[in-house]
Structure formats: structure tokens, C-alpha cells
């Protein structure tokens, strides 16, 4: 491939001009500048960047290239969904650029061809740590958002099985435990993402919260969500009611529902929360987990279930586990199948090249040695082309 | 005193010998030394008086290796196990940590070569002689058993024992009582249930790759007793595995050795999915006989029995995509 070599030769001469322009412009003006630049230096930018912003139009020609998610979409769609380091990167670079990679393209093509009158289809993204499961999921969610789907995004199911000290017995069902803070946090973010849907959809039955408070049938779902946000005690039950409503109404065909769960192996793993009698909680004894498990069943239609496994947060799992049956366990596997497994891998040569050029373009690689061929080989060797390791390495230089 | 060619090598050997062997060795080493002179006056007193003592003078002794013919009988040089003799082994061997000059020391006076065991007494020629000597005590190998497969077919049970020979206070060796018996299960008449049961009873004594059951018996003091015990164990295992106990009816899914797709949660999921997709007009049998379902079943069975690999997961993915009609 001669293009990268051409780029690296052009880079020292072109880079000063680019840097000057990019520092002056803000994020929004970049879009105006980018076409002009790509016209004058086609070899440089079109190798690692594409101006195609709609994931529905991404195809094999865009593989390995970065596309930008518009800032408005980022704020609305991903109030809590992006990995922490990527959020820092967005702040630093002033833009949210995601690489187009094969697993997400495959998933999007499956979603395009699927029949939504049939039961919801399940997809599971798996792979080694740091290979891009969460990022691929976010890419696919951007596609769903652009298509006008209702996004039900649980960014990390593991947050609901650990690091929670204030779980209380549920008032609805005494054998279960509520997690009011986590539920409220999630409801808040759900509202940000799907505000426009909440006024259109109505409840199908009456929900009684206390002697004096109730949500009537036919009220907009927004009221249900507000009930959860205002009353801490009822927030977990509100989440359960909301999930039930969405499941029933997705079959109607007015909207498509995307249930996206990252770290889905938490639903069938172990928890570290203690019950009142000092025993460990089972996952199904937590209201949030119980209701989310109901969503994972494919007894509803009009949407898709997109999930990603996560080893980093998994409790009591060996370090080398990354395959579906290893992380989901027997019970989880039985409940989730049949699912389409999609594997994410480390960068191949083209993708690595792309990432390297992107960091150079953003002036992220400050060390002079990183510009040389030897420096690049060092990066390849140290990171083994693993995306997250490469990102952490580059933040030092 | 005879004339002697004084070689510095010989003098060092001479010193070693004088420490190791004693005077008798000295006498046998030097051929030209006359015993009568020693017996008379220690060699020092002559008729006129005492002669000045001079060191012994020996003729240079030619090592045996020089006189060896190339077609000699080696079994005569080393008829039994003996330590390494540099003058008797005509090989230019060097052994040991390299000296300052850079090479290992040569064989003359090399303690390393003497310390290690050598098999110079067991050359092919020597072994042939042993075989010829043993032949009168042996019978012919049956001509019909000319390959390994025929041997295992007619004589499936293989018994291994060890005999120990050593010199010491006692001839007995307790390890000689151990008997190892190996049987391939394919040679036993077992049906499906009996085969699974015998494998469960034998636990780690059964090797799946080679399909052999290995019984090691050492609980009795004598080899004969251990052999009888092993035969008894085999008989008991065989007969017990054919019996069907009442409690075996309660065998659950967790006890199964292999994954069975029939009546598994996986089959239930697929049937539910297809029922919801196509409506409930079709019966369960028709749903299950579709090719996509068969492909899915194969993929799942392989994944559960042989573990998840990239290949298996890819196959599973294709099967599920077909099921979903993507």
C-alpha cells in the first residue's frame, strides 16, 4: 500500500500548515474546513478519515477510517454510554471520532436485513480486553439513533451488581432488593436520550405507587419517568414498569426498540452485595437485574437486543476468559441463545496505520521519535496492535 | 638396569601407580625389572659397597590400543562391565570442562570418564553373543502373529511386570510385585450403557485417546497375587457395568458425559423462536426437521462437547444467521 508511505513523506511538509489551521478553528468549523483540506491533500486525509457521518451509509470502503459523530448527537445519545477514556479524548480533541471496523459493519448490515415483525434477535459482541466491544456497540447505537429508534442503553450492567451500599428491600416484592440511586441515575440518562419519545407513548395500565400517588392509564411515559426521578423510593420499580411498557409497545410497530446492554454477563454472574442476613445476593434478587433479564428474552418483537460482554468488570471470572460461554456461564448461555456472536479483534495493519495517522494529525504524538518508522514499529511491538493499549501508550508521548 | 626411554608421561603415570597400586603393581608395570636384584639387596647394595640410589628406570610400555587390529573381537577387550581404561579403548575421546587452552582434557588420566557408567561391554556384537547363548532356552515366535494389530486382536490384555537384579544384602525388591494390566475397551463386549458405566467406574484409569483401561495393582505382597487381583478387578468391572441398578434411572442432565441436544434448554429455545416466527400451525416435529435447525443443532453440540474455539463460534454464527433468516 503506497498511500501510507506517501502520507508519511508528505506529513513533515504538510503538518505545520494543518496544525496552524486546526488550532485556530473550533469543533464546528472543522466540518467546513475539512472538505477544503481533503480537496487539496486527498492522499493524507482520506486514508484515515471519512466525511460520511451516517453509519447507515458506511460500507467496506470506509473500513479503517474515522468518522465523526456530530457533537449534538454525542450529548444526547451518549450521556453515559461511552468509555471513560474516550470521553477524555473527546474533550481533548474537541471531536468524537470513531473508527469503522468490521464487527460493527456486520451488525449494522444484519440490522438492515432483519425482519422486525419476528421476535427480537440477539447479538453478542465478544473479544479480548480493549479490542473495541463498547466502541462497536456505540457505533451501532449511533446508527439506530439516526434511524429513529428508541434507545434503551445500559452502559455497564456491572455497576448494578457491585459498589452499591444503599440497596434496600423492595416495597413491591419483599424478597427483592432495590437500588434507588443507580435506578435514578439511569432514568435521568434515559430521559436525555429519548425525550422526544416519552411524550408520544402512553402507559397501558394504572401504576399505584402509594396510597395517594398513582400513574393512570393513558398518561405519557414521561410522567412515569418523572415519578421515578422525583421519588427515590420508587425509582427501581419505575424502571421495571418502563421496561414492561416499552416491551409491549414495541410490537405495535410505531417505533423500533434497541436494547443495548454492555457487560451483559453481569446479569448471570455473581454479585458482591449483601442481604440483610449477611448472605450474598443472587442477581435475580435485585429488581433492576430481574427486570433487565426479562428484556433479554425474545418474547417481544419490533427491535433488536445488542449486547457486549465485559471481562474487565466481571466478578470471579478468570483473566483469560473472553468467549461467550466462559463469561456468560451455563445459565446465561442457555438464556441468551440463540444469539449471533461477533468477535472484535486487535487492529490489523490498515487500522493501526489509520489510528497512528489520526493521532499524528491531532498532534497527540509529541515525541519526535514517534514520527519515524522505527518509532511506529516500537508502538506496534509495545501495544501488539491492541486499541486500548495503544491509546494509553500514545497518551504518554 | 636396562636402558629406559624416559618419557614425562610415563613418569606421571608411574607416580599415580605408586600411590594407587603399591609395589606389586609397580613390578607388573615394568617388564624389565629383575625381581632377583630387589630380593637380594634392595638393588642398592653391590659387592663392592653401596651404589648411589638412582630412580627406577622403566622401558616405555606400549598401550594396548596400538596393538589392536581393526577386526579384533571387542567382546574380549570388555567381556563384562568394567570402568573406562584409556589404554584399552582406541577412541580419541575428550571429556570435561575446557582447560585454559580451550579444549576438554583428553582421556589419559581423566577421572570424569572413569566415573561415568559405560556400555562398552554391551556392543551389538556382545548382544548377539548373548542372544546366541540364550537361544537354546527359547521357542519360536508364532509366524501367524506378524503384526502389532494381529497381536492386539488375539491377545488384547497386556500385562507388564518388572524384575529387578542387584547385588546387595538381599535379593528381594518390593517394586517387583507391581503388575500393570492394559486392556482396550473396544475388545470388550460392551453396549452403550455398559461402556459409559465402566468409564465412570474406572475414572482416571481410562484413557480416552488410546481407548485403554489401565489397572495397576500393588496391594498384595507377591506378583502372582497381584496378577490374580488385576484379573479379578477386570472381571468385576465388566459384569458390574452390564448390570442396571434401580437408582440409575435417576440420571440427570448434569451427570451426562456428553451434551445431548434432545430435550435441552437450547432445543426449547429454538422451538419457541420458530413457533413465534412461523405461528403455531406447524408441529414440533416438522419444525425440528428443517435443515437450519439441524445445522444449529450440530453447531451447538460441537461447541458444548469440544469447547468453544474460533472455528466453532464462526460455525455457530452462520447457523444462527440462517435461523434468523439474515
Amino acid at each position: 500500500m503506497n498511500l501510507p508511505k506517501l502520507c508519511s513523506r508528505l506529513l513533515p511538509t504538510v503538518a505545520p500548515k494543518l496544525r496552524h489551521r486546526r488550532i485556530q478553528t473550533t469543533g464546528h468549523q472543522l466540518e467546513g474546513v475539512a472538505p477544503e483540506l481533503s480537496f487539496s491533500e486527498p492522499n493524507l486525509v482520506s486514508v484515515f478519515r471519512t466525511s460520511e457521518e451516517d453509519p447507515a451509509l458506511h460500507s467496506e470502503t470506509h473500513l479503517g477510517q474515522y468518522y465523526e459523530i456530530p457533537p449534538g448527537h454525542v450529548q444526547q445519545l451518549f450521556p453515559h454510554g461511552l468509555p471513560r477514556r474516550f470521553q477524555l479524548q473527546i474533550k481533548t480533541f474537541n471531536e468524537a471520532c470513531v473508527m469503522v471496523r468490521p464487527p460493527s459493519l456486520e451488525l449494522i448490515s444484519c440490522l438492515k436485513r432483519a425482519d422486525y415483525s419476528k421476535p427480537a434477535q440477539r447479538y453478542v459482541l465478544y473479544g479480548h480486553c480493549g479490542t473495541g466491544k463498547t466502541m462497536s456497540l456505540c457505533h451501532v447505537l449511533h446508527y439506530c439513533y439516526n434511524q429513529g429508534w428508541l434507545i434503551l442503553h445500559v452502559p455497564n450492567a456491572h455497576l448494578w451488581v457491585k459498589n452499591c451500599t444503599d440497596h434496600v428491600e423492595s416495597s413491591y416484592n419483599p424478597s427483592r432488593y432495590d437500588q434507588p440511586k443507580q435506578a435514578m441515575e439511569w432514568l435521568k440518562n434515559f430521559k436525555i436520550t429519548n425525550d422526544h419519545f416519552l411524550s408520544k407513548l402512553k402507559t397501558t395500565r394504572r401504576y399505584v405507587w402509594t396510597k395517594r400517588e398513582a400513574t393512570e392509564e393513558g398518561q405519557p411515559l414521561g410522567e412515569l419517568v418523572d415519578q421515578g426521578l422525583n421519588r427515590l423510593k420508587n425509582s427501581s420499580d419505575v424502571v421495571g414498569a418502563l421496561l414492561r411498557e416499552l416491551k409491549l409497545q414495541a410490537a405495535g410497530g410505531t417505533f423500533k426498540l434497541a436494547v443495548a446492554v454492555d457487560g451483559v454477563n453481569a446479569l448471570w454472574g455473581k454479585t458482591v452485595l449483601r442481604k440483610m442476613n449477611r448472605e450474598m445476593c443472587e442477581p435475580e434478587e435485585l429488581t433492576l437485574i430481574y427486570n433487565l433479564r426479562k428484556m433479554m428474552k425474545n418474547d417481544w418483537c419490533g427491535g433488536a437486543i445488542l449486547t457486549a460482554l465485559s471481562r474487565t468488570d466481571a466478578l470471579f471470572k478468570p483473566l483469560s476468559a473472553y468467549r461467550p460461554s466462559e463469561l456468560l456461564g451455563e445459565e446465561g448461555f442457555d438464556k441468551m441463545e440463540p444469539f449471533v456472536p461477533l468477535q472484535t479483534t486487535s487492529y490489523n495493519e490498515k487500522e493501526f496505520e489509520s489510528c497512528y495517522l489520526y493521532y499524528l494529525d491531532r498532534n497527540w504524538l509529541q515525541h519526535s521519535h514517534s514520527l519515524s518508522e522505527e518509532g511506529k514499529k516500537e508502538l506496534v511491538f509495545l501495544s501488539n496492535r491492541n486499541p486500548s493499549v495503544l491509546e494509553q501508550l500514545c497518551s504518554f508521548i | 638396569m636396562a636402558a629406559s626411554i624416559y618419557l614425562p608421561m610415563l613418569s606421571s603415570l608411574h607416580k599415580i601407580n605408586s600411590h594407587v597400586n603399591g609395589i606389586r603393581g609397580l613390578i607388573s608395570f615394568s617388564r624389565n625389572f629383575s625381581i632377583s636384584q630387589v630380593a637380594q639387596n634392595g638393588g642398592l647394595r653391590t659387592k663392592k659397597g653401596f651404589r648411589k640410589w638412582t630412580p627406577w628406570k622403566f622401558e616405555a610400555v606400549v598401550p594396548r590400543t596400538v596393538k589392536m587390529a581393526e577386526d579384533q573381537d571387542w567382546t574380549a577387550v570388555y567381556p563384562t562391565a568394567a570402568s573406562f581404561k584409556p589404554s584399552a579403548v582406541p577412541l580419541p575421546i575428550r571429556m570435561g570442562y575446557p582447560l585454559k587452552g580451550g579444549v576438554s582434557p583428553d582421556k589419559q588420566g581423566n577421572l570424569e570418564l572413569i566415573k561415568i557408567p559405560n556400555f562398552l561391554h554391551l556392543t551389538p556384537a556382545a548382544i548377539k553373543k548373548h542372544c546366541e547363548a540364550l537361544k537354546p532356552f527359547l521357542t519360536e515366535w508364532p509366524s501367524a502373529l506378524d503384526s502389532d494389530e494381529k497381536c492386539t486382536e488375539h491377545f488384547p490384555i497386556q500385562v507388564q511386570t518388572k524384575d529387578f537384579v542387584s547385588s546387595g544384602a538381599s535379593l528381594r525388591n518390593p517394586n517387583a510385585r507391581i503388575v500393570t494390566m492394559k486392556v482396550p475397551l473396544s475388545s470388550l463386549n460392551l453396549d452403550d450403557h455398559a461402556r459409559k458405566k465402566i468409564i465412570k467406574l474406572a475414572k482416571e484409569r481410562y484413557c480416552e485417546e488410546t481407548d485403554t483401561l489401565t489397572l495397576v495393582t500393588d496391594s498384595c505382597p507377591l506378583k502372582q497375587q497381584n496378577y490374580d487381583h488385576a484379573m479379578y478387578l477386570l472381571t468385576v468391572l465388566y459384569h458390574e457395568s452390564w448390570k442396571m441398578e434401580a437408582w440409575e434411572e435417576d440420571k440427570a442432565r448434569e451427570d451426562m458425559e456428553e451434551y445431548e441436544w434432545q430435550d435441552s434448554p437450547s432445543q426449547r429455545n429454538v422451538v419457541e423462536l420458530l413457533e413465534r416466527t412461523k405461528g403455531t400451525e406447524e408441529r414440533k416435529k416438522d419444525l425440528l426437521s428443517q435443515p437450519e435447525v439441524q445445522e444449529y443443532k450440530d453447531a451447538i453440540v460441537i461447541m458444548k462437547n469440544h469447547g468453544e474455539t474460533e472455528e466453532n463460534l464462526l460455525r455457530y454464527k452462520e447457523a444462527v444467521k440462517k435461523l434468523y433468516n439474515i
Side-chain angles (χ1 to χ4, degrees):
Chain A
M1 234 184 99
N2 283 323
L3 279 169
K5 285 188 189 158
L6 197 59
C7 293
S8 53
R9 266 190 277 143
L10 280 172
L11 207 54
T13 51
V14 169
K17 261 196 278 173
L18 267 178
R19 273 181 222 153
H20 181 64
R21 275 195 202 147
R22 289 278 159 89
I23 288 167
Q24 280 184 341
T25 59
T26 59
H28 290 287
Q29 287 176 9
L30 254 175
E31 292 173 45
V33 173
E36 188 193 308
L37 274 174
S38 59
F39 178 72
S40 56
E41 284 101 15
N43 295 328
L44 181 63
V45 177
S46 63
V47 166
F48 67 90
R49 239 190 141 105
T50 172
S51 46
E52 184 56 69
E53 280 182 6
D54 187 7
L57 300 171
H58 285 157
S59 66
E60 264 102 39
T61 48
H62 300 108
L63 272 180
Q65 292 180 341
Y66 280 88
Y67 86 98
E68 193 192 334
I69 307 180
H73 287 194
V74 172
Q75 275 164 7
Q76 206 177 8
L77 174 57
F78 298 123
H80 55 173
L82 294 168
R84 191 183 64 86
R85 283 198 78 92
F86 189 66
Q87 284 172 2
L88 294 172
Q89 188 179 308
I90 296 175
K91 247 193 254 177
T92 321
F93 291 169
N94 232 359
E95 59 176 7
C97 274
V98 177
M99 198 196 273
V100 177
R101 294 185 74 197
S104 36
L105 270 190
E106 206 181 326
L107 230 186
I108 292 177
S109 65
C110 287
L111 288 177
K112 283 183 194 167
R113 288 180 294 195
D115 183 353
Y116 294 104
S117 58
K118 305 228 176 96
Q121 292 164 351
R122 287 183 277 228
Y123 303 89
V124 174
L125 284 161
Y126 72 97
H128 285 286
C129 284
T131 45
K133 299 182 285 292
T134 313
M135 290 306 292
S136 300
L137 193 64
C138 292
H139 184 189
V140 177
L141 277 182
H142 186 218
Y143 160 79
C144 296
Y145 182 77
N146 269 0
Q147 302 288 311
W149 292 32
L150 201 158
I151 311 282
L152 197 112
H153 188 36
V154 179
N156 194 352
H158 288 286
L159 291 174
W160 293 352
V161 295
K162 57 180 183 177
N163 293 340
C164 175
T165 42
D166 57 349
H167 52 286
V168 289
E169 268 185 24
S170 166
S171 47
Y172 177 69
N173 186 337
S175 62
R176 286 200 225 127
Y177 287 83
D178 273 354
Q179 286 153 296
K181 257 200 234 160
Q182 275 84 357
M184 201 148 111
E185 182 74 35
W186 185 81
L187 278 173
K188 201 168 55 171
N189 292 322
F190 177 79
K191 191 168 172 188
I192 295 174
T193 313
N194 301 303
D195 217 355
H196 48 283
F197 277 107
L198 294 175
S199 43
K200 291 188 218 156
L201 299 170
K202 311 276 183 220
T203 53
T204 53
R205 63 165 240 222
R206 187 167 185 261
Y207 295 99
V208 181
W209 307 116
T210 59
K211 275 193 211 159
R212 273 170 277 174
E213 286 179 25
T215 311
E216 302 297 329
E217 196 180 320
Q219 295 282 337
L221 278 183
E223 274 208 26
L224 192 66
V225 175
D226 287 329
Q227 173 72 27
L229 287 172
N230 296 334
R231 291 272 176 274
L232 199 66
K233 209 176 86 160
N234 297 329
S235 47
S236 318
D237 295 322
V238 162
V239 171
L242 181 68
L243 291 177
R244 183 181 160 276
E245 289 293 327
L246 290 172
K247 203 164 150 178
L248 285 173
Q249 296 189 22
T254 45
F255 66 95
K256 293 209 197 88
L257 177 62
V259 179
V261 184
D262 203 341
V264 74
N265 43 323
L267 300 182
W268 292 284
K270 293 196 188 144
T271 68
V272 280
L273 307 179
R274 288 194 186 272
K275 296 197 275 208
M276 293 300 154
N277 54 4
R278 307 284 295 158
E279 275 177 12
M280 286 295 190
C281 269
E282 298 295 315
E284 54 267 14
E285 286 175 353
L286 296 168
T287 327
L288 290 173
I289 304 286
Y290 179 77
N291 288 315
L292 197 56
R293 273 198 196 179
K294 282 201 269 185
M295 288 304 281
M296 292 287 120
K297 266 200 225 167
N298 58 355
D299 51 0
W300 54 281
C301 49
I305 303 175
L306 316 159
T307 65
L309 299 174
S310 165
R311 156 73 201 81
T312 23
D313 284 326
L315 294 162
F316 308 110
K317 292 281 178 204
L319 276 175
S320 56
Y322 74 97
R323 298 197 189 93
S325 69
E326 288 165 4
L327 284 176
L328 285 170
E330 227 184 276
E331 200 199 332
F333 192 90
D334 285 335
K335 292 278 181 342
M336 281 296 283
E337 64 158 348
F339 60 86
V340 179
L342 295 153
Q343 192 182 15
T344 54
T345 53
S346 294
Y347 287 147
N348 60 19
E349 279 179 24
K350 182 176 170 204
E351 290 167 347
F352 179 83
E353 192 70 45
S354 205
C355 185
Y356 174 74
L357 287 172
Y358 177 66
Y359 285 144
L360 273 180
D361 175 62
R362 300 274 84 205
N363 292 330
W364 196 227
L365 299 170
Q366 290 288 321
H367 201 278
S368 51
H369 190 54
S370 53
L371 289 170
S372 63
E373 269 300 310
E374 267 189 36
K376 199 160 82 159
K377 280 190 197 157
E378 262 188 53
L379 282 174
V380 170
F381 178 75
L382 285 171
S383 63
N384 198 20
R385 296 214 180 91
N386 183 303
S388 76
V389 174
L390 178 65
E391 195 261 313
Q392 284 178 359
L393 272 176
C394 293
S395 58
F396 285 118
I397 46 172
Chain B
M1 286 277 224
S4 61
I5 304 161
Y6 225 96
L7 293 166
M9 257 171 34
L10 271 173
S11 75
S12 60
L13 262 169
H14 161 67
K15 277 180 200 148
I16 289 170
N17 266 344
S18 66
H19 290 298
V20 173
N21 290 339
I23 296 174
R24 204 168 290 220
L26 240 160
I27 294 172
S28 64
F29 189 86
S30 104
R31 309 254 170 109
N32 294 337
F33 196 83
S34 71
I35 298 170
S36 53
Q37 269 184 311
V38 175
Q40 269 175 17
N41 50 14
L44 287 178
R45 182 135 190 236
T46 56
K47 282 185 185 149
K48 282 192 185 164
F50 286 93
R51 66 167 181 81
K52 185 173 174 230
W53 182 85
T54 49
W56 306 117
K57 286 196 180 134
F58 299 106
E59 257 187 31
V61 179
V62 179
R64 187 174 166 178
T65 51
V66 171
K67 298 179 205 161
M68 278 178 181
E70 281 190 17
D71 55 351
Q72 70 171 333
D73 182 18
W74 181 257
T75 53
V77 182
Y78 266 86
T80 48
S83 58
F84 183 84
K85 297 182 188 85
S87 58
V89 177
L91 300 167
I93 311 175
R94 289 181 173 274
M95 178 151 169
Y97 191 79
L99 300 165
K100 257 192 198 167
V103 274
S104 307
D106 69 347
K107 65 178 179 177
Q108 295 293 342
N110 195 331
L111 202 59
E112 302 292 325
L113 280 167
I114 299 175
K115 281 195 290 190
I116 55 168
N118 66 63
F119 292 92
L120 294 163
H121 58 293
L122 290 176
T123 49
I127 305 278
K128 254 196 186 141
K129 278 194 178 173
H130 297 165
C131 291
E132 291 301 324
L134 286 170
K135 263 217 169 102
F137 304 105
L138 308 173
T139 53
E140 275 293 324
W141 181 260
S143 53
L145 295 175
D146 47 6
S147 69
D148 271 339
E149 290 82 29
K150 283 199 190 151
C151 290
T152 45
E153 188 196 322
H154 294 285
F155 300 95
I157 302 181
Q158 226 186 37
V159 176
Q160 287 170 357
T161 53
K162 283 185 189 169
D163 290 301
F164 296 82
V165 177
S166 63
S167 67
S170 162
L171 289 174
R172 317 272 176 222
N173 192 320
N175 293 334
R177 78 185 193 285
I178 300 172
V179 171
T180 307
M181 193 172 74
K182 293 194 180 177
V183 186
L185 280 191
S186 46
S187 60
L188 294 171
N189 177 24
L190 299 164
D191 73 348
D192 190 47
H193 158 262
R195 194 189 151 81
K196 285 189 182 157
K197 188 165 175 182
I198 202 174
I199 291 174
K200 266 219 161 108
L201 285 170
K203 291 185 203 167
E204 72 266 3
R205 293 175 191 82
Y206 173 72
C207 171
E208 225 182 271
E209 278 155 52
T210 51
D211 189 37
T212 38
L213 173 68
T214 311
L215 297 170
V216 179
T217 40
D218 61 353
S219 26
C220 305
L222 296 180
K223 193 189 297 185
Q224 175 67 35
Q225 294 169 342
N226 279 319
Y227 173 77
D228 291 337
H229 182 42
M231 292 305 282
Y232 162 74
L233 281 177
L234 183 63
T235 322
V236 158
L237 273 173
Y238 177 75
H239 288 292
E240 282 298 314
S241 64
W242 270 100
K243 287 189 205 164
M244 186 79 173
E245 304 283 339
W247 43 261
E248 283 189 50
E249 304 290 325
D250 304 329
K251 193 173 182 189
R253 183 155 265 281
E254 292 87 41
D255 304 318
M256 296 288 176
E257 297 81 17
E258 269 190 347
Y259 182 77
E260 258 183 43
W261 199 63
Q262 199 62 24
D263 299 323
S264 68
S266 169
Q267 192 198 36
R268 241 183 296 130
N269 286 343
V270 172
V271 168
E272 269 175 24
L273 175 71
L274 288 173
E275 274 175 0
R276 278 187 214 131
T277 321
K278 304 204 176 172
T280 45
E281 306 109 32
E282 298 189 33
R283 286 180 307 158
K284 188 175 162 179
K285 245 193 260 177
D286 299 329
L287 284 173
L288 286 175
S289 57
Q290 284 167 16
E292 296 107 32
V293 180
Q294 289 301 313
E295 206 183 314
Y296 181 79
K297 172 193 165 193
D298 292 330
I300 270 264
V301 164
I302 289 175
M303 236 168 58
K304 292 268 184 175
N305 279 335
H306 299 282
E308 276 180 333
T309 58
E310 310 294 320
E311 216 187 287
N312 289 349
L313 280 166
L314 268 174
R315 199 184 314 186
Y316 179 72
K317 183 164 78 165
E318 296 306 314
V320 174
K321 274 188 172 172
K322 284 202 188 129
L323 209 62
Y324 278 159
N325 268 334
I326 307 174

